[in-house]
Coordinates of all heavy atoms in Angstrom, one line a residue:
V44 N 107.0 41.7 66.2 CA 106.2 40.7 66.8 C 104.7 41.2 66.8 O 104.5 42.4 66.8 CB 106.6 40.3 68.2 CG1 107.9 39.7 68.2 CG2 106.7 41.6 69.1
E45 N 103.8 40.3 66.8 CA 102.4 40.7 66.9 C 102.0 41.0 68.3 O 102.6 40.4 69.3 CB 101.5 39.6 66.3 CG 101.7 39.3 64.9 CD 101.4 40.4 64.0 OE1 100.4 41.1 64.2 OE2 102.2 40.7 63.1
E46 N 101.0 41.8 68.5 CA 100.6 42.2 69.9 C 100.2 40.9 70.7 O 100.5 40.8 71.8 CB 99.4 43.2 69.8 CG 98.9 43.6 71.2 CD 97.8 44.7 71.1 OE1 97.6 45.3 70.0 OE2 97.2 44.9 72.1
D47 N 99.6 40.0 70.0 CA 99.1 38.7 70.6 C 100.3 37.9 71.2 O 100.2 37.1 72.0 CB 98.3 37.9 69.7 CG 97.0 38.5 69.3 OD1 96.6 39.4 70.0 OD2 96.4 38.1 68.3
D48 N 101.5 38.1 70.6 CA 102.7 37.4 71.0 C 103.5 38.0 72.1 O 104.4 37.4 72.7 CB 103.6 37.2 69.8 CG 103.0 36.3 68.7 OD1 102.2 35.5 69.0 OD2 103.3 36.6 67.5
V49 N 103.1 39.2 72.5 CA 103.7 39.9 73.6 C 103.1 39.4 74.9 O 101.9 39.2 75.0 CB 103.5 41.4 73.6 CG1 104.0 42.2 74.8 CG2 104.1 42.0 72.3
K50 N 104.0 39.1 75.9 CA 103.5 38.6 77.2 C 102.5 39.5 77.8 O 102.6 40.7 77.7 CB 104.6 38.4 78.2 CG 105.6 37.3 77.7 CD 106.8 37.2 78.7 CE 107.8 36.3 78.2 NZ 109.1 36.4 79.1
E51 N 101.4 39.0 78.4 CA 100.3 39.8 78.9 C 100.9 40.8 80.0 O 100.4 41.9 80.0 CB 99.3 38.9 79.6 CG 98.1 39.6 80.0 CD 97.0 38.7 80.5 OE1 97.0 37.5 80.3 OE2 96.0 39.2 81.2
E52 N 101.8 40.3 80.8 CA 102.4 41.2 81.9 C 103.1 42.4 81.2 O 102.9 43.5 81.7 CB 103.4 40.4 82.7 CG 104.2 41.2 83.7 CD 105.3 40.4 84.3 OE1 105.1 39.2 84.6 OE2 106.4 41.0 84.5
E53 N 103.8 42.2 80.1 CA 104.5 43.3 79.4 C 103.5 44.2 78.8 O 103.6 45.4 78.9 CB 105.5 42.7 78.4 CG 106.6 41.9 79.0 CD 107.5 41.3 77.9 OE1 107.4 41.7 76.7 OE2 108.3 40.4 78.3
L54 N 102.5 43.7 78.1 CA 101.5 44.5 77.4 C 100.7 45.3 78.4 O 100.5 46.5 78.2 CB 100.6 43.6 76.6 CG 99.6 44.3 75.7 CD1 100.3 45.2 74.7 CD2 98.7 43.3 75.0
N55 N 100.3 44.8 79.5 CA 99.6 45.5 80.5 C 100.4 46.7 81.1 O 99.9 47.8 81.3 CB 99.1 44.6 81.6 CG 97.9 43.7 81.1 OD1 97.3 44.0 80.1 ND2 97.7 42.6 81.8
A56 N 101.7 46.4 81.4 CA 102.6 47.4 81.9 C 102.8 48.6 80.9 O 102.7 49.7 81.3 CB 103.9 46.8 82.3
I57 N 102.9 48.2 79.6 CA 103.1 49.2 78.6 C 101.8 50.1 78.4 O 101.9 51.3 78.3 CB 103.5 48.6 77.3 CG1 104.9 48.0 77.4 CG2 103.4 49.6 76.1 CD1 105.3 47.1 76.3
K58 N 100.7 49.4 78.4 CA 99.4 50.1 78.3 C 99.2 51.1 79.5 O 98.6 52.2 79.3 CB 98.2 49.2 78.2 CG 98.1 48.5 76.8 CD 96.9 47.5 76.8 CE 96.8 46.9 75.4 NZ 95.7 46.0 75.3
E59 N 99.6 50.7 80.7 CA 99.4 51.5 81.8 C 100.2 52.8 81.7 O 99.8 53.9 82.1 CB 99.8 50.8 83.1 CG 99.5 51.5 84.4 CD 99.9 50.7 85.6 OE1 99.7 49.5 85.6 OE2 100.4 51.3 86.6
V60 N 101.4 52.7 81.2 CA 102.3 53.9 81.1 C 101.9 54.7 79.8 O 101.9 56.0 79.9 CB 103.8 53.5 81.0 CG1 104.7 54.6 80.7 CG2 104.2 52.8 82.3
S61 N 101.5 54.1 78.8 CA 101.3 54.8 77.5 C 99.9 55.5 77.5 O 99.7 56.4 76.7 CB 101.3 53.9 76.3 OG 100.3 52.9 76.4
K62 N 99.1 55.2 78.4 CA 97.8 55.8 78.6 C 96.9 55.9 77.4 O 96.5 54.9 76.9 CB 97.9 57.2 79.3 CG 98.6 57.1 80.6 CD 98.5 58.4 81.4 CE 99.2 58.5 82.6 NZ 99.4 57.7 83.6
K64 N 97.7 56.8 74.3 CA 98.4 56.7 73.0 C 98.1 55.4 72.4 O 97.8 54.4 73.0 CB 99.9 56.8 73.3 CG 100.3 58.2 73.8 CD 101.8 58.3 74.0 CE 102.1 59.7 74.6 NZ 101.8 59.8 76.0
K65 N 98.1 55.4 71.1 CA 97.7 54.2 70.3 C 99.0 53.3 70.1 O 100.0 53.8 69.6 CB 97.1 54.6 69.0 CG 95.7 55.2 69.2 CD 95.1 55.7 67.9 CE 93.8 56.3 68.1 NZ 93.8 57.5 68.9
L66 N 99.0 52.1 70.5 CA 100.1 51.2 70.3 C 100.0 50.6 68.8 O 99.0 50.1 68.4 CB 100.0 50.0 71.3 CG 99.9 50.5 72.8 CD1 99.9 49.3 73.7 CD2 101.1 51.4 73.1
A67 N 101.1 50.8 68.1 CA 101.0 50.5 66.6 C 101.8 49.3 66.3 O 101.3 48.4 65.6 CB 101.5 51.7 65.8
K68 N 103.1 49.2 66.6 CA 104.0 48.2 66.2 C 104.8 47.7 67.3 O 105.3 48.5 68.2 CB 104.9 48.6 65.0 CG 104.2 49.0 63.8 CD 103.6 47.9 63.1 CE 102.8 48.3 61.9 NZ 102.1 47.3 61.3
F69 N 105.0 46.4 67.4 CA 105.8 45.7 68.5 C 107.1 45.1 68.0 O 107.1 44.5 66.9 CB 104.9 44.7 69.2 CG 103.7 45.2 69.8 CD1 102.5 45.5 69.1 CD2 103.6 45.4 71.2 CE1 101.4 46.0 69.6 CE2 102.5 45.9 71.8 CZ 101.4 46.2 71.0
Y70 N 108.1 45.2 68.8 CA 109.4 44.7 68.4 C 110.1 44.0 69.6 O 109.9 44.4 70.7 CB 110.3 45.9 67.9 CG 109.8 46.7 66.8 CD1 109.0 47.8 67.0 CD2 110.0 46.3 65.5 CE1 108.4 48.5 66.0 CE2 109.4 47.0 64.4 CZ 108.7 48.1 64.7 OH 108.1 48.8 63.6
Y113 N 108.1 52.9 73.4 CA 108.0 52.4 74.8 C 108.9 51.2 74.9 O 108.8 50.3 74.1 CB 106.6 52.1 75.2 CG 105.8 53.4 75.4 CD1 105.0 53.9 74.4 CD2 105.8 54.1 76.6 CE1 104.3 55.1 74.6 CE2 105.1 55.2 76.8 CZ 104.4 55.7 75.8 OH 103.7 56.9 76.0
R114 N 109.6 51.1 76.0 CA 110.5 50.0 76.3 C 110.1 49.3 77.6 O 110.0 50.0 78.6 CB 111.9 50.5 76.3 CG 113.0 49.5 76.8 CD 114.3 50.1 76.9 NE 114.4 51.1 78.0 CZ 115.3 52.0 78.0 NH1 116.2 52.2 77.1 NH2 115.3 52.9 79.0
Y115 N 109.9 48.0 77.5 CA 109.6 47.2 78.7 C 110.9 46.5 79.1 O 111.6 46.0 78.2 CB 108.6 46.2 78.4 CG 108.4 45.2 79.5 CD1 107.4 45.4 80.5 CD2 109.1 44.1 79.6 CE1 107.2 44.5 81.5 CE2 109.0 43.2 80.7 CZ 108.0 43.4 81.6 OH 107.8 42.5 82.6
H116 N 111.3 46.6 80.4 CA 112.5 45.9 80.8 C 112.4 45.6 82.3 O 111.6 46.3 83.0 CB 113.8 46.6 80.5 CG 113.9 47.9 81.1 ND1 114.7 48.2 82.2 CD2 113.4 49.1 80.7 CE1 114.6 49.4 82.5 NE2 113.9 50.1 81.6
E117 N 113.2 44.7 82.8 CA 113.2 44.5 84.2 C 114.6 44.9 84.7 O 115.6 44.7 84.1 CB 113.0 43.0 84.5 CG 111.6 42.5 84.2 CD 111.3 41.1 84.5 OE1 112.0 40.6 85.4 OE2 110.4 40.5 83.9
V122 N 109.8 45.7 87.4 CA 109.3 45.9 86.0 C 109.4 47.4 85.7 O 108.9 48.2 86.6 CB 107.9 45.4 85.8 CG1 107.3 45.9 84.5 CG2 107.9 43.9 85.9
K123 N 109.9 47.8 84.6 CA 109.9 49.3 84.2 C 109.5 49.4 82.8 O 109.8 48.6 81.9 CB 111.3 49.8 84.4 CG 111.8 49.9 85.8 CD 112.9 50.9 86.0 CE 113.2 51.0 87.5 NZ 113.9 52.2 87.8
V124 N 108.8 50.5 82.5 CA 108.4 50.8 81.2 C 108.8 52.3 81.0 O 108.4 53.2 81.7 CB 106.9 50.7 80.9 CG1 106.5 51.2 79.5 CG2 106.4 49.3 81.1
T146 N 111.4 44.2 74.9 CA 110.2 44.5 74.1 C 110.1 46.0 73.9 O 110.2 46.7 74.9 CB 108.9 43.9 74.8 OG1 109.1 42.5 75.0 CG2 107.7 44.2 74.0
Y147 N 109.8 46.4 72.7 CA 109.6 47.8 72.4 C 108.3 48.0 71.6 O 107.9 47.0 70.9 CB 110.7 48.3 71.5 CG 112.0 48.6 72.2 CD1 112.8 47.5 72.6 CD2 112.4 49.9 72.5 CE1 114.0 47.7 73.3 CE2 113.6 50.1 73.1 CZ 114.4 49.0 73.5 OH 115.6 49.2 74.2
V148 N 107.6 49.1 71.8 CA 106.4 49.4 71.1 C 106.4 50.8 70.5 O 106.7 51.7 71.2 CB 105.2 49.3 72.1 CG1 103.9 49.5 71.3 CG2 105.1 47.9 72.7
L149 N 106.2 50.9 69.2 CA 106.0 52.1 68.5 C 104.6 52.6 68.8 O 103.6 51.8 68.5 CB 106.3 52.0 67.0 CG 106.1 53.3 66.2 CD1 107.2 54.3 66.6 CD2 106.2 53.0 64.7
A150 N 104.4 53.8 69.3 CA 103.1 54.3 69.6 C 102.9 55.7 69.1 O 103.9 56.3 68.7 CB 102.8 54.3 71.1

Side-chain angles (χ1 to χ4, degrees):
V44 293
E45 296 299 317
E46 182 174 346
D47 295 341
D48 296 329
V49 176
K50 293 177 188 171
E51 186 175 346
E52 172 188 322
E53 294 178 14
L54 187 59
N55 290 339
I57 292 167
K58 285 181 177 180
E59 185 177 322
V60 172
S61 65
K62 299 194 188 315
K64 295 178 182 77
K65 293 176 181 62
L66 306 182
K68 299 290 177 187
F69 296 80
Y70 302 92
Y113 287 95
R114 172 184 63 204
Y115 173 94
H116 62 99
E117 292 183 27
V122 171
K123 293 199 175 203
V124 176
T146 301
Y147 285 74
V148 180
L149 179 67

